[in-house]
Amino acid sequence: MFRFLWTLSVRTRDYLHRYMPSNRLLAAIRTRRGLKWGTPAMLVALPYILIASVCSDAAADGGPGWLHLIVLWACWNALKFIIMGPVSVVLLIRARLREAPIRRHQRREAVAEADSRVPVLHS
């Protein structure tokens, strides 16, 4: 039974991670090229918050109970994008600190190579 539940949860997570648009966008933001878009991506939470508000109001005014599931889904996605902003900033800082010595080394090599190409004028 435990094995079945474990397999089911892994497959569900795999499916959601692969095919849900919000998860695909968050995966793209987590790449090195996408880290700079983490803070602006926090704005994607606004439509989710609006959806949650509208559905919550509709459910409170006597709408169907399944609207609560949409509220839960929208709040969850909004939280994912709100949290991804600061996390992407931290990841970007870490990546730049890790890349800084490599950039310094490349600059030194370029300067040394340029110095060796300068012709020496003898008078």
Side-chain angles (χ1 to χ4, degrees):
M1 182 70 169
F2 181 73
R3 183 177 176 185
F4 171 72
L5 290 174
W6 185 270
T7 304
L8 183 65
S9 70
V10 167
R11 288 188 181 190
T12 303
R13 183 225 174 260
D14 221 18
Y15 175 80
L16 292 175
H17 187 71
R18 190 172 295 142
Y19 295 111
M20 294 298 141
S22 64
N23 292 337
R24 295 186 76 179
L25 180 58
L26 288 170
I29 291 171
R30 282 187 208 105
T31 63
R32 175 60 183 94
R33 283 184 48 206
L35 286 175
K36 64 183 173 188
W37 295 105
T39 305
M42 289 174 66
L43 294 174
V44 176
L46 293 176
Y48 285 115
I49 292 171
L50 179 66
I51 291 169
S53 175
V54 168
C55 290
S56 177
D57 290 343
D61 291 340
W66 55 265
L67 287 175
H68 294 293
L69 291 175
I70 295 176
V71 171
L72 181 65
W73 165 79
C75 288
W76 177 253
N77 281 334
L79 281 174
K80 287 192 299 187
F81 281 103
I82 289 170
I83 290 171
M84 192 60 205
V87 168
S88 69
V89 170
V90 170
L91 292 174
L92 183 60
I93 290 170
R94 282 179 45 193
R96 288 195 175 173
L97 288 175
R98 204 173 32 244
E99 295 165 357
I102 297 168
R103 283 194 304 268
R104 276 195 307 269
H105 180 67
Q106 288 173 345
R107 277 195 303 262
R108 286 181 189 147
E109 283 183 347
V111 167
E113 186 176 321
D115 287 344
S116 66
R117 289 184 183 177
V118 174
V120 177
L121 299 174
H122 297 284
S123 39

